[in-house]
């Protein structure tokens, strides 16, 4: 009986909060607890100063100006504000929106709301490796296109879209580009200037920051007008009213600063671990298919279909290893992933897929144990399946 | 030595909340994931849901966690889908701004919402309406007759929403007894972390989500749940309710403060003093002593209070709440709010009264000199 150590390999669902981030946050929970909007007294001013420093840290990660960063409760809210807010906030007559079939549900559902309001929506397909076709994008974007929303990194298969090329196409057509960068920020270099990105969403808890906080980058440009979803006391320049939670803002700021510093080295480490894991699995058991592009993907993501085996059976066979089937928010649903089906997988392949998300705190030792456990699970389940079908005959 | 007397703006984290918050920041798990880490996260969220429901006399299934009071108010007002909106004149900006075309229910000179006016407004039309009246006002602390308002609303087929952000944790609050259909609470006003709140929805009230995405919070509010924040919110509300008796002492401190300010400045006007008030809130004005001057001088003396509500602190406009009570602009612009907390002490009150009396004395002396010259 090998040791049943719990191993967390679901870093695309949520990441552990880096202890350095927690350290930065703690003072704002205890002594420095002011409301950052009460800046006429000392406690408020202290909190307000911390929020502004955090804003600069977030801006620094993506090459933005601090005043272009708005704190939100998370990437879902940022995506909702970016898409619905742009549609109701911009003084123009453009009525066309382009997005991609593999977007996160919060983008697709926000776009659906625009669809209901009478906007034309083009859903770009992806190829078998999860990439959009730039020629198709070019053909889809017209003088009537208000917004193109394409995620920088896909949450299930980790595929990286060519944001700079997408940005150039949007810029040429005068369309705004929004990107859901929840999975990309802190994992790959992003520069809103070079990439011509107008709106960008970040999540705290996907980059080793706290849950409950995110950010929206909005280019300071008269063409990028965003109406708020919520109304209130005018905080965050009216884009997102409500008390800015100072400890959470400090947390996402610290997380962005750490990521900016360590991103390159960390990506190399994770890539070696991940590629080693995939190699071990494919060498040990047949019928493994990698989902998503082999090269254009973030270093911590592995998504595989295991022939003949449903994901839930594999997960049940190794309950101490936290991996997922599909994205976290759809985990509870029985439907197979819309993303994997968009890549052309059959329902059976999609249902037999596992997302293995390595992260900053994943060690080589853990990766090795997880690989062993998965290989063992696949072998056992297949043996049992074969025995059952023999018995049935 | 500083005295923080701005609890209605934000409160420090209670130890019970800090403990679970710190513990859960070191744990990992998305509440929607099916593996062990996800299920443990889910369990923390569900425990908090039961704590919040239990503390407020609601059903756990009716608790929708949000990012705070502002979001919950917006969700209630925009999500209920009622075309006709009636809100009181003294509501928080997050209610007033969320309902730009709303009919306004006036308040009287004591800061109490006028129920006869509500009755008259509702009697005039058949259109299904939503009424929003806060349970306790953030600036004056005046407690509103929400149960009676709910009764009126029900008679006219209207829904009633109450913003209980300031009341929860300071007064016993029971959703069923109040007869409210929806109620807003905020974590950081009662000793939980910032960035969390909830809208409590009575069974049977339909709600259109304002943030779309995954199906979290039973489809009412998308987005990965803030597990440590929600758990700490539950712990804070639980602790607040368990220790609510401490507000008897807080009320004595507040009343003592009011007496002493009144003695030092007989011309002071105490807002809402004749009405039922939150035990911790004191709002008063002295003509000729601008709010900003008071707040800044007190801050220099290490005493933190506010001019009106925190979110409007940056603005110079007079408070819409005091205006609704009939206070002239010059008085409203010379008013401050002192709000105590569960752990405020006699020393805090002493620090405030001394610093304020000194400022008041100095101002009066300067004015006397000026008029003599």
């Amino acid at each position: 009986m090998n040791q049943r150590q719990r191993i967390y390999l679901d870093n695309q669902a949520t990441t552990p909060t880096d202890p350095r981030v927690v350290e930065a946050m703690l003072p704002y929970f205890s002594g420095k607890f002011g409301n950052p909007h009460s800046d006429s007294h000392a406690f408020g001013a202290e909190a307000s100063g911390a929020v502004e420093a955090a804003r600069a840290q977030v801006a620094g990660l993506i090459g933005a100006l601090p005043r272009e960063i708005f704190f939100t409760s998370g990437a879902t809210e940022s995506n909702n504000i970016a898409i619905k807010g742009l549609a109701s906030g911009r003084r123009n007559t453009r009525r066309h929106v382009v997005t991609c079939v593999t977007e996160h549900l919060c983008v697709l559902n926000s776009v659906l709301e625009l669809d209901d309001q009478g906007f034309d929506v083009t859903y770009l397909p992806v190829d078998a490796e999860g990439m959009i076709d730039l020629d198709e994008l070019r053909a889809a974007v017209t003088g009537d296109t208000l917004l193109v929303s394409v995620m920088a990194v896909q949450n299930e298969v980790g595929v990286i879209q060519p944001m700079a090329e997408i940005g150039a196409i949007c810029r040429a057509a005068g369309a705004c580009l929004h990107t859901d960068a929840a999975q990309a920020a802190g994992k790959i270099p992003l520069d809103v200037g070079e990439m011509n990105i107008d709106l960008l969403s970040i999540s705290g808890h996907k980059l080793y920051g706290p849950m409950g906080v995110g950010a929206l980058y909005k280019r300071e440009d008269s063409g990028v007008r965003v109406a708020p979803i919520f109304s209130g006391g005018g905080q965050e320049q009216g884009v997102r009213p409500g008390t800015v939670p100072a400890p959470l803002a400090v947390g996402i700021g610290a997380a962005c600063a750490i990521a900016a510093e360590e991103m390159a080295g960390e990506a190399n480490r994770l890539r070696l671990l991940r590629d080693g894991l995939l190699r071990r699995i494919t060498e040990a058991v047949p019928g493994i298919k990698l989902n998503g592009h082999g090269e254009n993907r973030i270093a911590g993501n592995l998504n595989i279909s295991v022939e003949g085996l449903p994901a839930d059976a594999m997960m049940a066979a190794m309950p101490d290893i936290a991996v997922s089937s599909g994205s976290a928010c759809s985990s509870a649903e029985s439907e197979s992933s819309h993303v994997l089906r968009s890549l052309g997988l059959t329902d059976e392949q999609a249902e037999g897929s596992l997302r293995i998300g390595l992260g900053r705190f994943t060690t080589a030792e853990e990766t090795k144990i997880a690989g062993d456990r998965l290989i063992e699970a696949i072998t056992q389940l297949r043996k049992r399946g074969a025995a059952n079908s023999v018995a049935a005959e | 030595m500083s005295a923080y007397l701005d609890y209605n703006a934000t409160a420090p984290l209670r130890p019970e909340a800090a403990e679970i918050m710190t513990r859960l920041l070191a744990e990992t798990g998305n509440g929607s994931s099916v593996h062990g880490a996800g299920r443990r996260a889910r369990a923390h969220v569900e425990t908090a849901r039961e704590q919040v429901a239990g503390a407020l006399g609601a059903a756990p299934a009716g608790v929708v966690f949000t990012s705070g009071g502002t979001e919950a108010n917006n969700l209630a007002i925009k999500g209920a889908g009622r075309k006709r909106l009636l809100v009181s004149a003294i509501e928080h900006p997050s209610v007033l701004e969320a309902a730009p075309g709303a009919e306004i229910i006036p308040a009287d000179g004591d800061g109490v919402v006028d129920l006869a006016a509500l009755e008259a407004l509702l009697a005039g039309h058949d259109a299904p309406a939503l009424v929003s009246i806060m349970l306790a006002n953030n600036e004056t602390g005046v407690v509103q007759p929400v149960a009676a308002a709910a009764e009126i609303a029900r008679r006219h087929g209207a829904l009633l929403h109450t913003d209980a952000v300031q009341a929860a944790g300071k007064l016993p609050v029971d959703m069923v007894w109040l007869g409210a259909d929806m109620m807003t609470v905020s974590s950081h006003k009662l000793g939980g972390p910032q960035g969390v709140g909830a809208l409590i929805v009575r069974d049977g009230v339909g709600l259109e989500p304002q943030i779309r995405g995954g199906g979290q919070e039973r489809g009412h509010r998308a987005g990965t749940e803030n597990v440590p924040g929600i758990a700490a919110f539950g712990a804070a509300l639980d602790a607040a309710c368990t220790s609510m008796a401490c507000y008897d002492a807080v009320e004595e401190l507040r009343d003592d403060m009011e007496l002493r300010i009144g003695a030092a400045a007989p011309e002071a006007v105490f807002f809402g003093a004749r009405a039922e008030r939150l035990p911790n809130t004191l709002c008063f004005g002295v003509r000729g002593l601008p709010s900003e001057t008071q707040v800044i001088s007190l801050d220099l003396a290490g005493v933190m209070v506010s001019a009106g509500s925190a979110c409007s602190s940056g603005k110079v406009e007079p408070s819409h709440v005091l205006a609704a009570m009939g206070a002239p602009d010059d008085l409203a612009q010379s008013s401050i709010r002192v709000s105590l907390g569960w752990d405020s002490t006699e020393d805090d009150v002493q620090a405030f009264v001394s610093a304020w009396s000194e400022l008041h004395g100095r101002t009066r002396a300067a004015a006397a000199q000026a008029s003599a010259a």
Side-chain angles (χ1 to χ4, degrees), chain B residues 227-249:
Chain B
V227 181
I230 287 170
F233 173 27
L237 185 51
D238 196 41
C241 290
T242 313
S243 66
M244 202 169 281
C246 74
Y247 277 102
D248 292 346

Side-chain angles (χ1 to χ4, degrees), chain A residues 295-380:
Chain A
E295 307 296 320
N296 291 338
R297 71 192 300 147
I298 53 164
N301 175 278
L302 196 56
N303 191 307
I304 54 171
S305 287
V306 181
E307 198 181 293
L309 291 180
D312 50 7
M314 290 184 276
M315 289 168 68
M318 42 175 209
D320 43 328
I321 313 287
V323 296
S324 71
S325 54
S327 74
C329 29
S330 53
S331 289
E333 294 162 25
S334 50
E335 232 175 286
S336 69
S337 154
H338 76 278
V339 174
L340 296 179
R341 279 179 283 133
S342 301
L343 267 65
L345 270 70
T346 61
D347 278 353
E348 195 195 335
Q349 285 173 321
E351 278 156 23
S353 78
L354 288 178
R355 178 179 70 178
I356 304 171
L358 288 72
R360 186 179 288 166
F361 302 100
T362 306
T363 64
E365 170 76 9
E366 286 179 324
T367 314
K368 185 181 174 305
I369 295 172
D372 289 345
R373 300 273 288 117
L374 179 58
I375 291 163
E376 183 191 318
I378 294 170
T379 312
Q380 296 280 336

Side-chain angles (χ1 to χ4, degrees), chain A residues 6 8 10-11 13-17 22 25-26 29-30 33-44 73 76-77 80 84 104-107 109-110 113 205-206 210-213 228-235 240-248 315 319 321-325 327-333 355, chain B residues 2 4 6-7 9-13 18 21-22 24-37 40 67 70-71 74-75 78 92-95 97-99 188-189 193-195 209-216 221-228 292 295-296 299 303-307 310-315:
Chain A
R6 270 194 214 157
Y8 187 78
D10 198 9
N11 283 279
T14 188
T15 53
T17 312
V22 177
M25 291 168 69
L26 287 179
F29 283 128
S30 48
F33 63 83
N35 183 319
H37 314 292
S38 310
D39 51 5
S40 49
H41 62 59
F43 279 33
S73 67
T76 289
E77 187 184 347
N80 273 257
K84 299 192 291 198
H104 191 273
L105 275 179
C106 60
V107 166
N109 287 339
S110 295
E113 214 175 299
H205 76 101
K206 309 270 192 200
M211 290 174 145
V213 66
I229 294 181
F230 302 134
S231 326
Q235 294 94 342
R240 206 286 186 170
T243 299
V244 174
L248 296 182
M315 289 168 68
I321 313 287
V323 296
S324 71
S325 54
S327 74
C329 29
S330 53
S331 289
E333 294 162 25
R355 178 179 70 178
Chain B
S2 66
Y4 182 81
D6 200 10
Y7 276 70
T10 193
L13 205 59
M21 179 99 199
T22 318
L24 294 191
L25 277 171
E27 279 183 24
T28 308
N30 182 322
S32 297
S33 298
V34 292
H35 47 62
R40 282 187 291 279
S67 67
T70 291
E71 183 186 336
N74 274 264
L75 177 57
K78 297 177 180 173
H92 188 267
S94 56
V95 167
E97 303 282 329
H188 76 102
K189 309 280 188 188
Q194 295 175 353
Q210 302 300 300
I211 298 183
R212 291 172 195 276
Q216 294 95 342
R221 198 277 184 182
T224 301
E225 296 93 338
N226 173 3
V227 181
E292 285 303 304
V295 171
I296 291 162
D299 183 44
V303 181
M304 285 161 269
V305 302
S306 75
C311 42
S312 57
S313 282
K315 305 175 196 163

Side-chain angles (χ1 to χ4, degrees), chain A residues 117-195:
Chain A
Q117 290 168 21
F119 280 82
D120 282 331
V121 180
T122 303
Y123 294 93
L124 294 174
V126 293
D127 64 19
E129 297 189 302
M131 303 296 292
I132 66 163
D133 181 333
L134 291 174
D135 287 330
E136 282 183 77
L137 173 66
R138 219 170 271 121
V141 176
T142 69
D144 194 40
T145 305
L146 170 67
L147 169 71
V148 174
S149 181
V150 175
M151 70 207 305
V153 168
Q154 213 289 321
N155 55 311
E156 293 185 36
V157 292
V159 165
I160 303 169
Q161 301 292 352
M163 292 316 297
E165 286 81 354
I166 294 171
I169 293 170
C170 294
R171 183 49 57 97
C176 283
L177 172 61
H178 164 252
T179 185
D180 172 1
Q183 300 289 346
K187 315 285 166 59
I188 59 167
L190 291 171
D191 189 301
V192 292
E194 280 176 19
M195 295 173 165

